[in-house]
Amino acid sequence: MEFIFFNIEKVNPTYVNQLFICLPELWKKINYNDFGMLLENFSNSFSYYALINFSYKYLEIDILDLIVNKSIVKGFYPEVKEYLLLQGNVIIKTDDEQNDLEFNEGKEFFKYNQNNWDYIKQRLLTDKRIKEAKQDYQYLKKRIYTLVGNVQNVTL
């Protein structure tokens, strides 16, 4: 947890994604409460963006409700809302990104293995508070508008 937190909090998000993709073992035991703990300790909006991106794109789970709720509590909701509305489309893995992962699967320097990520995703989805990340832009757009629309009258 400390390694995940430190890297999300202190390191460039692009690097973080590449690092975490190579280290599925970091995510094998993480659970919903661990995500909550990470979010409670973030000190900047970029950490929220990094977790949104990695969890939706690579873990292929949807914890957007938790992220939005924690961002409200921590005072980062305006930034998180804007990120989701303006950058939500980048949290879905593109065909090129998927092809890159598949091309590098099993290569020694990259150490990507889809089976590891499928296992982690399925384990996380056994918690009913975690949803599967739908890989459909129209669905995600509607999901984001519904999510931030439900909380847009919150006084911060």
Side-chain angles (χ1 to χ4, degrees):
M1 281 291 296
E2 288 137 10
F3 184 81
I4 291 170
F5 176 78
F6 176 83
N7 280 282
I8 290 175
E9 186 79 356
K10 305 288 184 195
V11 182
N12 177 296
T14 302
Y15 172 77
V16 167
N17 284 340
Q18 294 302 313
L19 174 67
F20 288 165
I21 288 169
C22 295
L23 299 170
E25 58 271 14
L26 294 176
W27 301 93
K28 285 196 175 182
K29 293 186 179 179
I30 199 165
N31 61 42
Y32 183 85
N33 294 331
D34 294 329
F35 286 115
M37 223 170 22
L38 287 170
L39 292 160
E40 287 171 6
N41 289 291
F42 286 162
S43 65
N44 64 77
S45 56
F46 294 102
S47 297
Y48 286 87
Y49 309 157
L51 187 60
I52 289 168
N53 192 292
F54 189 79
S55 64
Y56 205 94
K57 185 180 283 193
Y58 296 105
L59 290 174
E60 296 181 2
I61 60 168
D62 179 343
I63 54 171
L64 295 176
D65 293 305
L66 175 65
I67 292 170
V68 167
N69 290 334
K70 293 294 184 180
S71 75
I72 291 170
V73 171
K74 292 283 291 184
F76 291 106
Y77 174 69
E79 294 92 347
V80 169
K81 175 184 175 180
E82 183 176 16
Y83 176 80
L84 287 170
L85 290 172
L86 298 176
Q87 300 294 322
N89 62 319
V90 302
I91 68 174
I92 290 179
K93 193 183 312 162
T94 66
D95 289 341
D96 287 342
E97 289 167 324
Q98 183 61 41
N99 290 338
D100 286 345
L101 291 174
E102 290 169 5
F103 176 78
N104 288 304
E105 187 166 1
K107 292 190 177 173
E108 185 59 33
F109 68 93
F110 194 68
K111 297 188 180 193
Y112 177 79
N113 182 311
Q114 184 63 47
N115 291 334
N116 288 335
W117 292 105
D118 289 342
Y119 169 79
I120 294 166
K121 173 184 167 184
Q122 292 308 315
R123 186 187 56 74
L124 288 166
L125 290 174
T126 62
D127 186 322
K128 297 301 178 200
R129 297 170 291 182
I130 298 175
K131 300 174 184 83
E132 184 172 2
K134 305 288 188 212
Q135 301 301 307
D136 175 86
Y137 287 107
Q138 291 306 317
Y139 168 85
L140 181 59
K141 182 178 179 182
K142 186 183 289 186
R143 167 99 170 94
I144 289 170
Y145 281 114
T146 301
L147 179 63
V148 298
N150 287 339
V151 294
Q152 70 189 145
N153 294 325
V154 172
T155 304
L156 301 176

